Amino acid sequence: MKFDMDYIAHHNRLTLMNSYYKIAIAMGLMIITLILNNLYFDVIIFALMLILIVGVARISFKSYLKFISIPAVFTIITCVFLLFFFGTGNIVWDSHFYGIAIRQDAVDLAIYTFFRIFACFSCLGFLGLTTPIAEVLHSLEVIKVPKIVIEIALLMYNTIFIFLNEIDIMKKAQETRLGYNGYKTSFKSVAMLGSNIFLRSMDKAESLQHSLDSRGYNGEIPMYKPQNRSDD
């Protein structure tokens, strides 16, 4: 099943919950996490958000894993970099190769960084997976966030999913031509995918600008105002 974040945000048990409460919970806990600088609190927040997303909102664990897969890759790469190139304490493991070693304070830093990133990202995941983007942007507009920030967020949100769809289409086209049959062919296909998606992104950006101009874009995008549920 293809991951569709917008569909999940509209179809979960917390969709009808007041968006201001969800924003307050997500942003409040994320700020507290950043301020407290405590590993145990980071783990608690990560676990709490997992319970809210999977247990309360009833979003499938598979969908949650798909959501965190991309940031997880970058987080792991960052932590590996911290392990090998930071730290001045006792050596835990020595490669005996150009002085590359893992030190105890580097291990502590990598573990702390991993859980801090995931604690903060899980807060954003709770908001993104349980709240439709229209309600999030409307709430930001109500609390007087600058319109330029909201418009950039809206365009980035739409563009990200356009690019993901393009990547999916191009990847499937490569797979039908045995583009991932073997390591050498796979690396070549990934390189071609990366270069082509850059060119496609430029075309999509130009098409998006033409679409906005054809609809009378004057520098300000009207924001959708969700219906007041108390009237239902």
Side-chain angles (χ1 to χ4, degrees), residues 60-118:
S60 70
F61 188 67
K62 182 178 180 180
S63 296
Y64 180 66
L65 288 179
K66 288 182 179 180
F67 175 76
I68 66 173
S69 59
I70 295 178
V73 172
F74 288 101
T75 302
I76 292 172
I77 293 174
T78 300
C79 291
V80 170
F81 182 81
L82 292 176
L83 277 175
F84 286 98
F85 298 101
F86 284 80
T88 57
N90 296 326
I91 296 178
V92 177
W93 178 81
D94 194 346
S95 67
H96 302 290
F97 181 75
Y98 289 100
I100 297 177
I102 298 178
R103 303 177 183 275
Q104 184 59 52
D105 52 351
V107 173
D108 297 337
L109 178 61
I111 294 174
Y112 166 75
T113 301
F114 179 86
F115 282 104
R116 192 176 194 191
I117 290 174
F118 268 84

Side-chain angles (χ1 to χ4, degrees), residues 151-201:
E151 291 179 3
I152 291 174
L154 175 61
L155 293 174
M156 288 179 62
Y157 183 85
N158 290 333
T159 304
I160 286 172
F161 287 98
I162 291 174
F163 290 164
L164 289 176
N165 185 60
E166 290 294 324
I167 291 174
D168 185 60
I169 293 173
M170 293 169 63
K171 188 172 183 294
K172 287 180 178 177
Q174 289 179 329
E175 289 174 348
T176 59
R177 295 171 174 81
L178 302 179
Y180 294 91
N181 186 21
Y183 289 108
K184 183 177 180 180
T185 307
S186 297
F187 281 122
K188 183 178 179 181
S189 296
V190 170
M192 293 177 62
L193 181 64
S195 61
N196 288 332
I197 197 60
F198 175 76
L199 298 176
R200 294 289 288 270
S201 66

Side-chain angles (χ1 to χ4, degrees), residues 32-33 36-47 107-119:
I32 293 174
T33 299
L36 287 184
N37 195 22
N38 185 284
L39 175 62
Y40 298 106
F41 187 79
D42 295 343
V43 176
I44 292 172
I45 292 299
F46 177 69
V107 173
D108 297 337
L109 178 61
I111 294 174
Y112 166 75
T113 301
F114 179 86
F115 282 104
R116 192 176 194 191
I117 290 174
F118 268 84

Side-chain angles (χ1 to χ4, degrees), residues 15-35:
T15 298
L16 298 181
M17 180 181 175
N18 192 305
S19 59
Y20 295 104
Y21 294 155
K22 289 184 281 189
I23 292 174
I25 292 172
M27 295 297 101
L29 290 177
M30 185 173 69
I31 292 173
I32 293 174
T33 299
L34 294 172
I35 292 175

